[in-house]
Amino acid sequence: MTRPTDRETPSEPRILDGRRAAAEIRAEVADDVRQLVAAGGRPPGLTAVLVGDDPASQVYVGSKTRASEEAGIVGAVLRLPSETTQVELLATVDGLNADDAVDGILVQLPLPGHLDSSRVLERIDPAKDVDGFHPVSVGRLWLDRETFVPATPSGIVELLERNGVEIEGRRAVIVGRSHLVGKPLAALLLRRNATVTFAHSRTQDLKELCRGAELLVAAIGRPAFFGEEHVAPGTVVVDVGINRLEDRAEVERLFPDRPERLETFERRGSVLVGDVDPRAFARAAAYTPVPGGVGPLTVACLLVNTVRAARRRQGTAAAPGESR
Ligand code: NDP
C-alpha cells in the first residue's frame, strides 16, 4: 500500500471494513472451537457479570453472549442487582475463578459508583482475564510477553494488518490514553515498530501533531472532534469513537451527501458518529467508518481471547496467532 509519507492521496480513500474483518475472525474462532471439541476438548465457556440495569451495558453484554454462542462458545450472563455489595461481587468472581467450566470472565464496566472496579478486576484469575484488564495482563503486554490483550486495540491491529496497512516505521499518533484503548494500542504498535506518540486533553498544538501523523488514532469520545485541519492528505485514520448524535441539524451538517444517515435519524431519533468529522475522511488514504469500523472487531477479539484461554487451561496446542 502507498505509504502516506509520500502524501499521495488516492482519488477515493479506502474503507477499512470492520464488519468483514470481524466476520472472518468469528468464522476462524468457530473453526478453532470445532477443532478443540473434535480433539476431545470441552467447548470454551465465557461468563459475563452484569451489575445493575445500565441499558448500554445490557446491549453490549447481549451482543457478546450472542456472538459467543454463534461461535460454539458457551456464553452465560450473571445478572446482579445494582445494590450488590463489593463483598458479594468479589465472592461472585471467586466462584467463577473456581468453576472449571468457565474459561473467560468479563465484568461489564462501568460498575455502579459504590463498587471499586479496580479491586474487582484484580480479583479475576489472570488465566481467565479475557478482557486483559488485570495488572498482570497489562504488565505482560508491556514486557512483550504472551498475554490477553484488550479486545479493542487488538481489533484495531487486526483490521490494519488484514487490510495490508503498513505499521512498521510509521509515525502513529494516538489521541486518548485510556487503559481500554490508547495505552494497550500503543504497546501493540510499538511492538510492530511504529513510532508512537500519545496525545490527550492537555496536549498543546494537537492539530499540528495530528497533521504530522501517518497513522492517526482518534479515541477521545467527542463527536466529530477531528476535522480536516487534523488530517493531512494520505493519512490512515482509525476512528475509535462511538458517539450518539441526537440533533438533526448536526446530522445534516456532518453528513451532507449521505441521505441514508438522515433516514436512519428519522427512524431512530439518533445516529452514531465517531470522533472524526466524516467530511475529513476524504483526505485520508484509508479510514475506519463509524459504525462498521473498529466496533465489530471488539466482540470478535474477545472471542479469540476466550478460545485462547480455553486452550491454555485445557493444555491443548496453541491457537494460530497465539503470540500476537
Ligand atoms: P476515556 O474517556 O477513558 O478516555 C478519553 C481520552 O481522551 C482521555 O485520555 C482524554 O485525555 C482524551 N481526551 C478527551 N478530550 C480530549 C481532547 N479535547 N483533546 C485530546 N484528548 C482528549 O475513553 P475511552 O478510551 O474509553 O473511549 C474513547 C472512545 O472510544 C469513546 O467514544 C468510546 O465510546 C469509544 N470506544 C469504542 C470502542 C469500540 O469498540 N469501537 C471500545 C471502547 C471505547 P485525559 O487523559 O487527559 O483526560
Side-chain angles (χ1 to χ4, degrees):
M1 170 185 178
T2 309
R3 285 180 61 88
T5 29
D6 305 334
R7 296 302 190 203
E8 285 172 24
T9 315
S11 48
E12 276 293 318
R14 204 147 63 96
I15 298 175
L16 304 174
D17 183 346
R19 291 196 178 108
R20 199 185 61 204
E24 284 169 16
I25 294 170
R26 287 162 64 159
E28 288 161 18
V29 169
D31 253 8
D32 201 14
V33 171
R34 272 192 290 275
Q35 283 176 33
L36 179 69
V37 173
R42 179 177 48 68
L46 174 67
T47 298
V49 181
L50 179 60
V51 187
D53 43 19
D54 175 55
S57 294
Q58 310 250 17
V59 171
Y60 290 139
V61 165
S63 67
K64 288 169 188 176
T65 39
R66 251 192 326 278
S68 300
E69 278 155 13
E70 277 168 29
I73 293 169
V74 181
V77 187
L78 282 183
R79 292 172 202 279
L80 303 178
S82 46
E83 59 275 15
T84 301
T85 64
Q86 180 83 12
V87 171
E88 288 165 339
L89 184 53
L90 292 176
T92 301
V93 172
D94 288 344
L96 295 172
N97 285 340
D99 184 343
D100 218 29
V102 174
D103 297 296
I105 302 169
L106 70 86
V107 175
Q108 185 63 40
L109 302 177
L111 289 171
H114 65 283
L115 297 170
D116 177 347
S117 55
S118 302
R119 277 190 60 211
V120 174
L121 296 177
E122 283 184 35
R123 192 71 160 240
I124 295 173
D125 177 350
K128 299 188 178 188
D129 177 35
V130 288
D131 263 339
F133 297 152
H134 191 287
V136 168
S137 305
V138 177
R140 292 176 70 94
L141 173 65
W142 284 98
L143 293 168
D144 291 334
R145 304 253 298 274
E146 195 190 304
T147 186
F148 294 114
V149 180
T152 301
S154 281
I156 292 170
V157 170
E158 282 286 341
L159 188 55
L160 295 174
E161 291 186 335
R162 283 172 189 255
N163 281 282
V165 173
E166 209 174 323
I167 295 175
E168 176 153 337
R170 282 200 165 172
R171 288 190 302 277
V173 173
I174 302 174
V175 193
R177 54 177 163 179
S178 73
H179 302 308
L180 267 73
V181 185
K183 284 180 186 163
L185 179 63
L188 295 180
L189 295 180
L190 264 183
R191 189 184 289 182
R192 287 163 177 77
N193 298 315
T195 302
V196 179
T197 305
F198 274 120
H200 44 76
S201 65
R202 314 288 170 88
T203 297
Q204 307 282 312
D205 301 324
L206 183 65
K207 286 179 195 160
E208 205 167 302
L209 188 73
C210 292
R211 275 201 303 270
E214 295 169 296
L215 175 61
L216 175 62
V217 181
I220 68 170
R222 301 197 179 241
F225 176 91
F226 296 86
E228 290 180 342
E229 66 281 17
H230 294 88
V231 180
T235 309
V236 173
V237 180
V238 174
D239 189 357
V240 187
I242 301 179
N243 310 290
R244 200 165 284 285
L245 275 186
E246 293 176 339
D247 175 353
R248 190 179 207 281
E250 266 302 271
V251 179
E252 280 172 336
R253 187 177 74 81
L254 294 173
F255 299 101
D257 307 320
R258 303 278 303 278
E260 76 283 5
R261 300 306 293 268
L262 202 55
E263 280 164 26
T264 305
F265 178 80
E266 303 297 3
R267 235 182 15 257
R268 299 192 182 157
S270 67
V271 291
L272 294 182
V273 68
D275 289 347
V276 180
D277 183 329
R279 296 168 300 179
F281 289 138
R283 300 168 72 87
Y287 69 94
T288 64
V290 177
V294 174
L297 271 298
T298 298
V299 173
C301 288
L302 174 71
L303 305 185
V304 172
N305 281 352
T306 303
V307 183
R308 282 184 189 157
R311 282 190 171 278
R312 279 185 210 155
R313 294 189 60 253
Q314 296 182 36
T316 56
E322 176 96 31
S323 61
R324 298 159 83 88

